[in-house]
Amino acid sequence: MRSVGGASPARAETRTALPSLRVIHDEVLDGPTNMARDEALLTLVGAGDAPPTLRTYRWSGPTISLGYFQPYAAYAALDPPAGGLPVVRRQTGGGAILHDRELTYSITLPLNHPLIAGNPNVLYELAHDTVIACLRSRGLEAHRGGETDGSGSARGPFFCFARRHRFDVLLGGDKLVGSAQRRTRHAVLQHGSIMFGRRYEQQPHAVVPETVSLSHDSFRRLLAEAFARRAHLVATPGEWRTLELARAAELSAKYAGREWTRRV
């Protein structure tokens, strides 16, 4: 039976259904593999061969990632112990990050996704406000930085967490979360680090206090659910597709290689 004066209930339900966001809580991986998987997502999401994806991951050992435009010489000049750590170069700009006791997230969307409507800067606000809400739900008064210090992709302090941007997440007066983007003609990748501990004094940053009962695994679930809710998306647990893993495997040699790492 057809409804009177409007669409059928089935069609109305389809029209109002929320778009989905695939969520992958990845395993602990080395730097080249982590960066290769993010680039594979950027390429394949942009081509329509992979769905919009929120990925969370950790690092198998302390690693420094250089921003896309940062000179390798700046890393080579670092004193130990940070100067002796493995190094990779990211697709994204900004300052270097010493990945250690942290949880990293990445969000990859096509540029025509309704969430960003052609303005990828929305992702900074959305992701960081979600992190702030998650932390406040555990009694931590995190807040946005509110000011930008003029640092750019190739200028400013070596470490990202010594720089300031108005979208950064601060705890007290120190930076707890920083993010960076890479945009192509078809997609945007944003990834960022949420710090749970610090053992290298060369990179100053805040940490999620140990007194807060919040493990990496519990926070990654909390973050995914909260992000989807705030973005009006349906979070759908997902797995890697064969094509995605194959593309990442091809790219991992690039990130492990001298040519890419020392390109600047």
Side-chain angles (χ1 to χ4, degrees), residues 7-242:
S8 68
R11 290 182 179 177
E13 182 179 348
T14 299
R15 189 167 57 240
T16 58
L18 296 176
S20 64
L21 177 71
R22 181 180 59 168
V23 176
I24 296 178
H25 295 313
D26 220 340
E27 57 192 308
V28 177
L29 298 164
D30 62 27
T33 304
N34 273 326
M35 295 299 91
R37 289 191 175 190
D38 274 353
E39 185 179 348
L41 284 173
L42 178 65
T43 302
L44 294 172
V45 168
D49 294 325
T53 300
L54 167 63
R55 174 185 175 229
T56 66
Y57 55 94
R58 297 179 65 190
W59 301 67
S60 59
T63 303
I64 289 179
S65 71
L66 295 172
Y68 183 85
F69 296 101
Q70 280 192 296
Y72 178 83
Y75 158 76
L78 277 181
D79 292 330
L85 296 177
V87 59
V88 294
R89 184 178 295 279
R90 304 191 306 269
Q91 281 279 332
T92 56
I97 298 176
L98 200 169
H99 305 276
D100 186 22
R101 296 171 176 173
E102 69 168 74
L103 178 68
T104 308
Y105 79 87
S106 72
I107 302 168
T108 312
L109 300 173
L111 279 184
N112 62 0
H113 193 281
L115 177 62
I116 55 177
N119 179 17
N121 280 331
V122 170
L123 274 183
Y124 285 123
E125 296 185 76
L126 186 59
H128 287 191
D129 285 350
T130 299
V131 172
I132 289 171
C134 291
L135 294 172
R136 287 184 174 178
S137 74
R138 295 299 188 270
L140 297 175
E141 287 301 315
H143 56 93
R144 276 207 226 169
E147 297 182 358
T148 299
D149 65 4
S151 296
S153 292
R155 66 182 186 277
F158 177 72
F159 283 114
C160 165
F161 280 79
R163 304 181 180 197
R164 289 293 182 270
H165 191 277
R166 63 190 180 93
F167 291 132
D168 292 337
V169 177
L170 305 186
L171 192 59
D174 295 321
K175 187 169 175 178
L176 178 70
V177 181
S179 299
Q181 288 186 358
R182 173 63 186 270
R183 306 172 191 177
T184 68
R185 291 185 300 165
H186 305 292
V188 57
L189 161 72
Q190 177 175 305
H191 52 197
S193 299
I194 305 161
M195 298 303 188
F196 279 76
R198 178 163 65 122
R199 53 178 165 174
Y200 295 90
E201 296 300 319
Q202 289 157 285
Q203 177 178 245
H205 60 77
V207 300
V208 176
E210 292 182 359
T211 54
V212 178
S213 179
L214 197 60
S215 68
H216 291 89
D217 286 340
S218 63
F219 190 79
R220 70 190 347 179
R221 293 192 296 269
L222 180 65
L223 179 67
E225 293 167 2
F227 181 84
R229 185 167 57 250
R230 186 174 288 261
H232 305 293
L233 302 171
V234 176
T236 305
E239 297 180 353
W240 288 104
R241 299 176 177 181
T242 301

